[in-house]
Amino acid sequence: MGNGDRFLRIILGIIALIIGLTGSFDGIWKWVLMVFGLVMIVTSSLQFCGLYAIFGINTCKVKSKK
C-alpha cells in the first residue's frame, strides 16, 4: 500500500468516525460509518488491504533493483 493510499484511508477513516460518533446518523448507518472508519484506519496502519491482495492491486511504488 502506497503512502498516498495510506494517507487517504486515514483521512476517510477519521471523517467516518467523527460523523458516526457525532450522532449525525442513527441506527445502522451510524454503525456502518464507524466500522468503515475503523477498517480504513486499521488497514492503513497495517499497510495491508485484503481486497487489494485478492484483486492483485498494488499502490506501492517499488524501485527496481539494478
Side-chain angles (χ1 to χ4, degrees):
M1 183 179 301
N3 288 334
D5 192 9
R6 290 180 59 210
F7 179 75
L8 182 63
R9 284 174 181 260
I10 289 173
I11 296 300
L12 288 175
I14 290 171
I15 291 170
L17 282 175
I18 289 171
I19 292 171
L21 291 173
T22 59
S24 299
F25 291 92
D26 288 328
I28 191 74
W29 289 109
K30 173 183 178 178
W31 293 105
V32 167
L33 281 170
M34 291 175 53
V35 168
F36 175 78
L38 285 174
V39 167
M40 290 292 109
I41 292 172
V42 168
T43 57
S44 177
S45 64
L46 295 177
Q47 298 180 6
F48 176 78
C49 177
L51 289 176
Y52 279 12
I54 290 170
F55 292 114
I57 299 171
N58 185 3
T59 61
C60 184
K61 305 274 191 250
V62 179
K63 294 181 181 179
S64 61
K65 295 180 181 179
K66 292 185 179 182

